Amino acid sequence: MQQKNRCIFFHTTKKYFLPATFVIALVSMLLFSGCTTKKENTIKIEGAFALTPMMEKWALEYRKIHPDIIIDINANGAGAGMANALLGLADIGMVSREVNNTEIQRGAFWVSVVKDAVVATINARNPVLSTILEKGITKQQLRDIFITGNISTWGQLIGNSSITDKIIVYTRSDSCGAAETWANYLGPYKQNDLGAHVDLDRISAVNGDNTLAATIQREQFGIGYNNIGYVYTKKIDASTVVPADDLIPVPIDLNNNGILDDEEKFYSNRMSLIHAINNNIYPSPPARALHLVTLHNFSGITKDFVRWILTEGQQYVLDTGYVPLSQEFINEQLRYLEEGTRPELS
């Protein structure tokens, strides 16, 4: 793995603004300490947008007890995370989809660390919003929007021919777990199937989870999908996080009865949706486990960090907006980590 000559604490797609005095003090410390990044003290992490906020929290807490460890985080999509982990360019790849046989044959080894979900999203000014919130959208209707393209207007979706506004379908241009998971929920499909049969004037692809969420916030007639960490971002009190302004999670009519029943109404805040995922009410997929991947097996400080994530690090999962795994499942992942193998590899 090539090592950059730099001293960093985190590197992410987000920008952090630090007080000038702190920056000056930090630079001075580094200059006078003669700091040079040593490979053995650095954990380089790349991959899924879905797992990045959780990894940032884990890195922050881990460095409080291991300040000598540098953790370099780069959110660039599950595909890039997997590829760079298998090439040895990253110590850990964050992956938000299943690991496939080709990747296993190339030496992929992974443990699952937390659970998340993908939800469809629409704009708060959608012309048929009230009907959607009353009736929900069935899986078949979502399939006809995202895959077959058979439903092309919002009026057609609710059976009102007087509403002719076109449905603009947004998907991801980067290889990502969210798209793969959403396609897999709709049927035996892959990321490339999303929008494949949608009229060209109604399909658009954007790069990154945050970009897709921002696009739907602007686009009145758009529909997309996001990991829940990029939907539920507005904190209204100490314990309640709701969807971002102008971003509405699409409720799924799970029993296809044409109305959104009370037990299907769990999208108002993040904890309510997490409860539905944890109790297997919200389907899986699009709920799924998130994984940390490396080449062959974790070792050294990277293995210590992953072990901490699976033990002490689990206390931060719920407050960060993710779904905890059961203790039995966690124990299984710890055994895989220590033994360096798992059933899929035998």
Side-chain angles (χ1 to χ4, degrees):
M1 181 176 68
Q2 289 185 340
Q3 186 62 40
K4 297 179 180 179
N5 183 23
R6 58 181 180 179
C7 292
I8 54 176
F9 292 102
F10 305 111
H11 170 66
T12 76
T13 55
K14 296 180 178 179
K15 294 181 179 179
Y16 293 89
F17 299 95
L18 302 176
T21 52
F22 177 81
V23 173
I24 293 171
L26 178 60
V27 171
S28 299
M29 287 172 57
L30 298 179
L31 288 174
F32 286 101
S33 66
C35 175
T36 56
T37 300
K38 295 179 180 179
K39 181 178 180 180
E40 60 267 26
N41 288 347
T42 301
I43 302 172
K44 186 172 178 58
I45 304 171
E46 296 188 21
F49 288 88
L51 196 47
T52 298
M54 186 71 254
M55 184 57 73
E56 290 174 343
K57 177 62 175 177
W58 278 330
L60 179 67
E61 298 299 330
Y62 186 76
R63 289 202 69 258
K64 290 179 180 177
I65 53 179
H66 298 283
D68 55 319
I69 302 297
I70 298 169
I71 300 177
D72 184 355
I73 304 171
N74 183 25
N76 54 1
M82 173 64 81
N84 287 339
L86 295 183
L87 289 171
L89 299 176
D91 300 300
I92 296 175
M94 300 183 288
V95 177
S96 53
R97 56 165 174 75
E98 295 301 315
V99 179
N100 62 46
N101 288 333
T102 300
E103 292 159 347
I104 291 174
Q105 291 171 3
R106 291 177 58 196
F109 176 80
W110 72 100
V111 294
S112 307
V113 290
V114 75
K115 201 170 182 181
D116 192 16
V118 178
V119 294
T121 51
I122 55 177
N123 185 277
R125 293 177 288 113
N126 184 286
V128 298
L129 178 63
S130 60
T131 303
I132 290 176
L133 295 182
E134 177 187 351
K135 296 183 175 181
I137 301 181
T138 66
K139 180 192 284 190
Q140 181 60 53
Q141 289 174 317
L142 290 167
R143 186 182 298 126
D144 284 337
I145 292 173
F146 282 95
I147 302 291
T148 70
N150 290 337
I151 297 179
S152 59
T153 71
W154 291 106
Q156 185 182 359
L157 174 67
I158 66 166
N160 184 342
S161 59
S162 67
I163 300 174
T164 58
D165 302 305
K166 291 182 178 180
I167 298 175
I168 310 300
V169 178
Y170 288 92
T171 186
R172 294 274 292 275
S173 58
D174 53 318
S175 175
C176 66
E180 196 74 14
T181 300
W182 186 244
N184 188 230
Y185 166 64
L186 298 176
Y189 304 111
K190 301 292 185 182
Q191 176 173 352
N192 289 341
D193 295 314
L194 294 172
H197 300 288
V198 176
D199 297 335
L200 291 178
D201 64 334
R202 296 194 302 105
I203 180 71
S204 185
V206 299
N207 182 38
D209 220 328
N210 43 6
T211 306
L212 184 47
T215 300
I216 297 300
Q217 286 179 289
R218 295 192 303 270
E219 176 54 69
Q220 180 181 6
F221 304 116
I223 186 169
Y225 52 85
N226 279 107
N227 293 295
I228 60 176
Y230 293 83
V231 176
Y232 294 85
T233 60
K234 185 176 180 179
K235 194 169 187 177
I236 59 175
D237 60 41
S239 59
T240 306
V241 181
V242 301
D245 290 339
D246 298 326
L247 193 61
I248 304 294
V250 173
I252 301 176
D253 177 12
L254 296 170
N255 59 10
N256 301 304
N257 68 348
I259 191 167
L260 201 65
D261 299 314
D262 288 343
E263 56 268 27
E264 296 170 324
K265 297 177 180 176
F266 42 73
Y267 300 89
S268 61
N269 62 77
R270 189 172 65 187
M271 282 307 299
S272 181
L273 178 55
I274 287 174
H275 179 76
I277 297 168
N278 214 15
N279 288 281
N280 298 315
I281 300 173
Y282 192 73
S284 180
R288 83 291 203 205
L290 306 179
H291 318 293
L292 302 183
V293 178
T294 194
L295 181 63
H296 300 312
N297 192 13
F298 296 101
S299 62
I301 60 172
T302 302
K303 187 172 184 176
D304 291 339
F305 180 48
V306 175
R307 185 185 297 112
W308 178 88
I309 286 173
L310 287 169
T311 53
E312 297 172 62
Q314 291 297 301
Q315 66 183 293
Y316 306 107
V317 167
L318 201 56
D319 287 344
T320 313
Y322 290 77
V323 182
L325 300 171
S326 70
Q327 189 56 53
E328 181 181 8
F329 193 86
I330 287 290
N331 291 341
E332 187 176 56
Q333 304 309 304
L334 280 167
R335 180 163 53 82
Y336 295 156
L337 177 69
E338 300 304 335
E339 295 178 354
T341 187
R342 52 185 302 139
E344 297 89 340
L345 307 182
S346 60

